[in-house]
């Protein structure tokens, strides 16, 4: 059966044990394994069809606006050569969360696109194989393919660097309160950041210690042990930012408001509120909390200085196609 179009939905994910630095930038094979949870409530819906108007190039439309296509073209060329598809495509994508706010939209974008391609070209890939396809577009996208809590194995080639679910989306009801910190400064994207990771003397220390942190985090999730979980995710985030800040040239994503929030989160935890922070490649702070404490966190930070916007996500399912579309 030849499909005229195919549509998929996916979510970004937040890493608890971070991926930073590539062993192979071409294939986006990471320097270390990582663990994350998918963020339901933040949705990307992507449809693809053949570009019959102009067969010479892809047409990328995000939230109704035509976009520059070089990154998606590189991905489609690479993926097409591996999986045997060569059409020029129209890719239409919508995000229900603000773009340019530093929320990892590339993870949801490339995982949704991988699922849409799988259906469109009837690739018949397993979930693991699909995660490797998504990884070619954005490393962290491979973690948005499986459901719930996900581990991405570092691997040493295209086939062995894939993600699996380590606990389902309903295993532990954690929430991510994303505190969007207002900043006029343009961030350095993760593609550039990964390239700089090895210039930090702390990167090799961080990488060599990864298996230990992965084990502690995996266990804390399986056992729903918030105390251990909070300790390890804050340590891991701080270790990644220490690498960023000591790279050459250095990258400092923390803003004064970010640091104030980190200190506040620790203070709240000391007062008995189950919450912990983690930060990606930007100034926003993700406050991970248990269900009973979501309201406390949202109320507490509503008027907090320097916060531009609050977003809330729960543990989400993996990327999936939308039937009939
Ligand atoms: O997938 P990328 O290239 O956007 O890199 C993601 C990097 C971090 O968000 C900082 C960490 C992670 O593991 O998601």
């Amino acid at each position: 059966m030849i499909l005229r179009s195919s549509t998929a939905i996916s979510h970004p994910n937040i890493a608890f044990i971070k991926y930073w630095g590539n062993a192979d930038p071409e294939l986006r094979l990471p320097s270390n394994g990582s663990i994350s949870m998918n963020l339901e409530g933040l949705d990307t819906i992507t449809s693809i069809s053949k570009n019959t108007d102009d067969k010479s190039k892809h047409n990328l439309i995000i939230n109704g606006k035509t976009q520059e296509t070089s990154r998606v073209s590189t991905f489609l060329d690479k993926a097409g050569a591996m999986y045997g598809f060569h059409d020029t495509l129209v890719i239409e994508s919508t995000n229900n969360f603000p773009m340019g706010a530093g929320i990892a939209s590339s993870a949801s974008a490339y995982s949704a696109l991988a699922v849409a391609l799988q259906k469109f070209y009837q690739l018949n890939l397993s979930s693991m194989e699909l995660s490797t396809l998504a990884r070619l577009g954005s490393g962290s996208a491979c973690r948005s393919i499986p459901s719930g809590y996900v581990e991405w194995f570092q691997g040493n080639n295209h086939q062995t660097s894939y993600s699996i679910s380590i606990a389902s989306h309903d295993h532990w009801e954690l929430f991510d309160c994303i505190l969007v910190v207002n900043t006029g400064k343009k961030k350095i994207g993760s593609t550039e950041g990964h390239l700089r990771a090895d210039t930090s003397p702390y990167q090799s220390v961080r990488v060599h210690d990864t298996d230990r942190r992965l084990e502690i985090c995996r266990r804390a999730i399986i056992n729903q042990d918030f105390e251990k979980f909070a300790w390890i995710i804050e340590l891991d985030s701080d270790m990644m930012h220490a690498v960023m800040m000591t790279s050459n040239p250095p990258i400092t994503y923390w803003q004064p408001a970010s640091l104030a929030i980190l200190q506040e989160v620790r203070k709240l935890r000391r007062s008995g509120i189950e919450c912990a922070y983690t930060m990606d490649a930007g100034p926003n702070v993700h406050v991970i909390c248990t269900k009973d404490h979501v309201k406390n966190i949202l109320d507490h930070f509503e008027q907090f200085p320097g916060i531009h916007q609050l977003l809330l996500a729960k543990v989400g399912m993996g990327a999936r196609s939308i039937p009939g579309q």
Side-chain angles (χ1 to χ4, degrees):
M1 186 181 59
I2 294 168
L3 293 175
R4 289 170 66 92
S5 69
S6 100
T7 302
I9 179 167
S10 188
H11 313 290
N13 61 75
I14 180 68
F16 299 139
I17 302 300
K18 309 284 187 186
Y19 144 58
W20 195 245
N22 283 312
D24 179 338
E26 258 304 291
L27 291 175
R28 296 181 195 269
L29 301 181
S31 299
N32 61 279
S34 52
I35 291 179
S36 60
M37 81 177 201
N38 291 332
L39 300 177
E40 189 170 319
L42 309 186
D43 309 330
T44 296
I45 297 178
T46 299
S47 298
I48 58 171
S49 57
K50 284 189 190 174
N51 191 356
T52 45
D53 290 344
D54 180 355
K55 290 190 175 144
S56 70
K57 56 180 180 352
H58 302 294
N59 185 5
L60 173 65
I61 303 155
I62 302 179
N63 288 351
K65 288 204 180 109
T66 302
Q67 306 283 330
E68 200 269 323
T69 54
S70 58
R71 182 165 174 183
V72 79
S73 296
T74 306
F75 165 71
L76 289 170
D77 288 352
K78 213 181 289 175
M82 281 186 186
Y83 296 93
F85 50 84
H86 303 287
D87 302 305
T88 49
L89 300 173
V90 178
I91 304 154
E92 282 188 86
S93 201
T94 52
N95 291 321
N96 73 348
F97 53 97
M99 287 171 61
I103 317 297
S105 52
S106 64
S108 52
Y110 284 98
S111 51
L113 183 53
V115 171
L117 286 166
Q118 146 108 316
K119 186 169 166 203
F120 196 62
Y121 290 111
Q122 293 159 30
L123 298 178
N124 211 10
L125 303 176
S126 67
S127 169
M128 282 183 228
E129 290 167 328
L130 200 51
S131 74
T132 66
L133 167 58
R135 194 199 70 241
L136 297 173
S138 167
S140 56
C142 85
R143 294 190 311 243
S144 283
I145 296 286
S147 193
Y149 296 88
V150 173
E151 179 161 358
W152 171 14
F153 300 117
Q154 180 190 8
N156 53 17
N157 58 32
H158 180 60
Q159 286 75 23
T160 55
S161 185
Y162 60 82
S163 295
I164 61 158
S165 176
I166 54 168
S168 67
H169 69 282
D170 52 5
H171 164 71
W172 191 17
E173 271 192 295
L174 291 184
F175 285 78
D176 182 2
C177 305
I178 306 167
L179 310 184
V180 180
V181 169
N182 200 1
T183 172
K185 288 195 189 125
K186 198 168 161 37
K187 68 168 193 165
I188 295 155
S190 52
T191 303
E192 169 61 26
H194 291 300
L195 291 172
R196 288 190 204 174
D198 281 334
T199 64
S200 165
Y202 292 151
Q203 172 71 347
S204 59
V205 177
R206 192 190 74 87
V207 165
H208 284 120
D209 181 60
T210 306
D211 284 348
R212 181 186 74 99
R213 297 192 311 283
L214 284 170
E215 170 66 15
I216 294 169
C217 184
R218 205 184 293 123
R219 250 177 219 272
I221 291 171
I222 304 295
N223 297 333
Q224 303 180 10
D225 179 344
F226 197 85
E227 205 182 310
K228 280 254 167 56
F229 174 80
W231 165 67
I232 201 67
I233 74 165
E234 292 187 355
L235 173 69
D236 189 85
S237 174
D238 291 351
M239 284 175 81
M240 180 183 73
H241 283 271
V243 168
M244 292 162 162
M245 288 179 204
T246 51
S247 293
N248 188 10
I251 313 168
T252 304
Y253 287 114
W254 292 14
Q255 295 284 313
S258 320
L259 179 58
I261 297 165
L262 303 190
Q263 289 173 325
E264 196 67 13
V265 167
R266 287 206 165 146
K267 202 167 103 190
L268 289 173
R269 192 158 74 252
R270 280 197 297 274
S271 77
I273 294 175
E274 284 185 325
C275 59
Y277 67 74
T278 184
M279 289 176 68
D280 274 349
N284 305 325
V285 183
H286 294 250
V287 182
I288 313 297
C289 62
T290 50
K291 192 180 180 186
D292 290 348
H293 298 285
V294 174
K295 195 176 172 323
N296 277 331
I297 299 294
L298 294 178
D299 289 349
H300 190 85
F301 284 106
E302 204 183 354
Q303 302 296 328
F304 200 80
I307 296 177
H308 182 57
Q309 193 179 8
L310 274 79
L311 301 168
L312 183 65
K314 62 178 184 172
V315 191
M317 301 214 293
R320 56 224 180 260
S321 73
I322 300 183
Q325 294 193 53

